[in-house]
Amino acid sequence: MTDKERGAIGRRRTFQKIVGATNLLHPNRKQPYEATRHQSDTTSEVFNKSNMGNVKLENTFRINPSDNEKFDSCKVERVIKDVLESRLSKIEYDHEMCILKAKDLASEIQQRVKEFQWKRYKLVCNVTIGQYTRQGINVVSRFVWDAKLDNYSCVRYNNKSLFAVAQCYGVYFE
């Protein structure tokens, strides 16, 4: 059998499987096809006699999340505030220690926000820690996103010797 004939049989079999045909005999034999999986059948079920009458529908793709699946900035803000207060309340500023502490805080915030299990959201967390000497500082970020679906939370914290600004962005991924 040539590749062209084999491809035609595979297409015919797939078509017959979708419409629910019951007579699927091999063209050269008087026996039904064996339950095998071809490359074109990777997303469909394996063919057998029990599912011959079932109709397999195509996948549906959602572009927007439902209301309960959207990134909730109030919940994330509470998580960030809790993490910053619990981990930085008794810490003095030290340059070397704060580098590692910022990385740890960002990963902890990200892990705690992942527990909300918002589907299809990519999370980006950023923590900035500096010495608090009553100076002014501006922390700015720019992002290209969809204003309807994407959101963020930003919390600032300070004690006697340091300040911290934590940001968490939820970007919807289609």
Side-chain angles (χ1 to χ4, degrees), residues 41-78:
D41 296 336
T42 55
T43 58
S44 64
E45 297 179 29
V46 175
F47 176 74
N48 60 30
K49 291 180 181 178
S50 65
N51 67 1
M52 286 172 66
N54 295 342
V55 176
K56 181 87 171 159
L57 300 176
E58 291 293 322
N59 291 335
T60 58
F61 296 96
R62 292 185 320 172
I63 296 176
N64 297 329
S66 61
D67 289 336
N68 60 346
E69 293 177 341
K70 286 188 176 179
F71 185 87
D72 188 1
S73 63
C74 294
K75 289 181 181 179
V76 175
E77 196 170 304
R78 278 180 262 161

Side-chain angles (χ1 to χ4, degrees), residues 3 10 23 45 50 59 75 77 106 113 128 159-160 173-174:
D3 289 337
N23 187 11
E45 297 179 29
S50 65
N59 291 335
K75 289 181 181 179
E77 196 170 304
V113 171
T128 304
N159 63 18
K160 292 180 181 179
F173 185 71
E174 295 178 2

Side-chain angles (χ1 to χ4, degrees), residues 2 39 55 76 97:
T2 66
Q39 288 180 348
V55 176
V76 175
M97 185 264 314

Side-chain angles (χ1 to χ4, degrees), residues 4 14 18 23 25 29-30 32 39 45 53 62 71 136 145 152 158 166 171-172:
K4 186 175 182 181
T14 303
I18 290 173
N23 187 11
L25 296 179
R29 291 185 247 147
K30 299 287 183 188
Q39 288 180 348
E45 297 179 29
R62 292 185 320 172
F71 185 87
W145 66 11
Y152 76 99
N158 63 314
V171 182
Y172 189 70

Side-chain angles (χ1 to χ4, degrees), residues 112-130:
R112 297 249 325 249
V113 171
K114 280 183 182 179
E115 291 174 4
F116 292 120
Q117 295 180 351
W118 290 309
K119 296 178 182 175
R120 294 187 175 183
Y121 271 95
K122 303 293 182 185
L123 300 174
V124 178
C125 293
N126 185 21
V127 176
T128 304
I129 298 177

